[in-house]
Amino acid sequence: MSVNIGFNFRVSNVVDEAQAQAIVGELQELMRDESIADQVRVAVEQEGDAWLVEGETDFPIIVSRSYLWRPKFEESVAWYVKEVAPSAKVVLDWNYPDEEY
């Protein structure tokens, strides 16, 4: 069964802009591997002195067997971030627009 699913994420505890850009590169690679690169925005943000990486789906994506894909995707996001930023923290939030009333 397929579902419409959306997500957004925020990567904090980023050391500097260079590390933030490296995280963006890694996450863009993941999105290409998942065939959703054209549907997910990933960007560097700055809040005061803090550097962040944020991303979100532009619109809901259709995922088959999301109960299997979602945990694997969450692990992959964390792994790709930790490759370049071991101290970074990832928060990923999901939404299911078909379930919203």
Side-chain angles (χ1 to χ4, degrees), residues 23-71:
I23 293 168
V24 168
E26 289 291 314
L27 292 176
Q28 287 174 333
E29 179 181 332
L30 172 61
M31 300 310 155
R32 282 190 299 275
D33 291 349
E34 293 290 334
S35 300
I36 58 174
D38 59 339
Q39 300 167 337
V40 180
R41 178 191 67 81
V42 182
V44 173
E45 302 289 336
Q46 187 176 15
E47 288 183 0
D49 292 338
W51 291 95
L52 309 163
V53 174
E54 295 183 330
E56 65 185 340
T57 51
D58 292 329
F59 46 84
I61 57 176
I62 299 171
V63 178
S64 296
R65 301 174 68 183
S66 65
Y67 63 94
L68 296 174
W69 178 80
R70 180 180 158 173

Side-chain angles (χ1 to χ4, degrees), residues 68-86:
L68 296 174
W69 178 80
R70 180 180 158 173
K72 180 182 174 286
F73 182 76
E74 289 174 347
E75 289 176 13
S76 294
V77 169
W79 186 84
Y80 275 74
V81 169
K82 295 296 182 191
E83 281 293 295
V84 295

Side-chain angles (χ1 to χ4, degrees), residues 46 63 71 74 77 89-91 93 99:
Q46 187 176 15
V63 178
E74 289 174 347
V77 169
K89 179 182 176 189
V90 179
V91 175
D93 293 313
E99 294 178 5

